[in-house]
Amino acid sequence: MVEHDGGEPTEPALQALTFARGYASGGQVHALAVGLEPGGLGAYGVGTLHVAEHDVFGSYAPAAVAQSVVELADDLSPSAVIAAGNEIGNEVMAHVAAKLDLPLAANCIEATPGDPARVTRVRWGGSLLEEAALHAPVKLLTVQPHAVAAAEAPAGEPAVERFAPTLSDADTVVRVTERVGASTGGVSLADAKVVVSCGRGAGSPEGFGIIEELAGLLGGAVGCSRAVTMAGWRSHTDQVGQTGTKIAPDIYIACGISGATQHMAGCKGAKAILAINVDRDAPILQSADYAVIGDLHEVVPAISAEIRKTR
Ligand SMILES: Cc1cc2nc3c(=O)[nH]c(=O)nc-3n(C[C@H](O)[C@H](O)[C@H](O)COP(=O)(O)OP(=O)(O)OC[C@H]3O[C@@H](n4cnc5c(N)ncnc54)[C@H](O)[C@@H]3O)c2cc1C
C-alpha cells in the first residue's frame, strides 16, 4: 500500500516499498494507491500499480482504503501485504486484518518469508525488539518508519490498473472531514531534517519563542516533551516520544529536556543529538553527540545570532 500526498509518495511509503522488494526477493511487487496515481514508483521496482477510485478517496477513509486492499488481495493472492508502520498504515492494516480475520505484524524492521514467516518488530515504544513467527496464508506486515532507507531499483514505468472497490456505508462512515494546519510552521515533525525541541526548561509557552526562531532559521520543525503538552504549553501534535511522534532528523536539538526513556523512544532515530541543559548529569547527555551545559534562554538565542551573522 503506497500512501501519497497529492500524488507524491510519502517517505514511509517508499521505505515500505523498499522493504517489500527485499521480502519479495526478486518476485513481483504490486503497489496499491487510492484516489490518485502516485508518480515515480517505477524507480522503486513496482511492476504494476493498482489505483482504487471512488468519490470517498477525496479524503482519508481508513476502512474504505482497507476494503480496497482486501479486494486487491483477493484478486492477486499475494504472499504478503505490506504498508508503512505509521498512523495511516497501521490503522488501515488493522482494518484489513479484521476484515480478512488474519494476524497483523506491525512495526517490523526485518522479515524473512516462509511458513511461518519470521519477523522482528519494534515493541514498547522502541525499548524492545520482538522476534516472532507469523502463521497466516497472507502475511500482513507494516514497516517501522526509518527501519530501512528508501532505495531506488529502477524497473521502468509500471503498468497501471484502475478499479472501483465495492464499499459499504460502514466503509465510508469514518473519514476526514476537515484539516487544521499543524503548529510546526509547514515542516512536518515526522519528516523534518532538523527538529528543535524544548521541554519543561522552556518555563512557559512564551519560552518557545526562541525555539521557533531557531527552528525557522534552520528550516526545521518544533518539537516538545510530554511535560510541555501536559502543561498545555504546546499541542500534542508537537510531542516527541513513545506517545508522541517518532522522528529521525539529521539533527535533534533538545533544549531543557531531561531525556526520559519515553522521550528517547521517539528520537533515537536521530542521526545526531545536541542537548542543551543546565544539568550536566541529565540522562539525555548519555545519548547526546554534542552538548552545551547552560541555560537554554541564553544558549538558544546565541546560536540564532551566530546563524544570522553567517547569512
Ligand atoms: C506511559 C508514558 C508515556 C510517556 N510518553 C512520553 C512521550 O511520548 N514524550 C515525552 O517527552 N515524555 C513522555 N512521558 C513522560 C516522561 O517520562 C517525562 O516525564 C518527560 O519526558 C519529561 O519532560 P521534560 O524532559 O521536559 O521535563 P523534566 O524531566 O522536568 O526535565 C526538564 C529538564 O530541563 C532542564 N532545564 C531546566 N531549566 C533549564 C534551562 N533554563 N536551560 C536548560 N535546561 C534546563 C533540567 O535540567 C531537566 O533536565 C511518558 C511517560 C509515561 C509514563
Side-chain angles (χ1 to χ4, degrees), residues 3 71 97 137 147 154 221 299:
E3 189 189 331
E71 288 184 20
V299 176

Side-chain angles (χ1 to χ4, degrees), residues 198-201 224-228 239-244 255-260 262-263 276-279 282 294-297:
C198 200
R200 205 191 305 271
C224 69
S225 70
R226 187 156 106 159
V228 165
Q239 184 180 313
V240 171
Q242 180 183 328
T243 47
C255 313
I257 291 177
S258 58
Q262 298 90 350
H263 186 81
I276 300 171
N277 203 300
V278 283
D279 179 5
D295 185 340
L296 71 93
H297 301 284

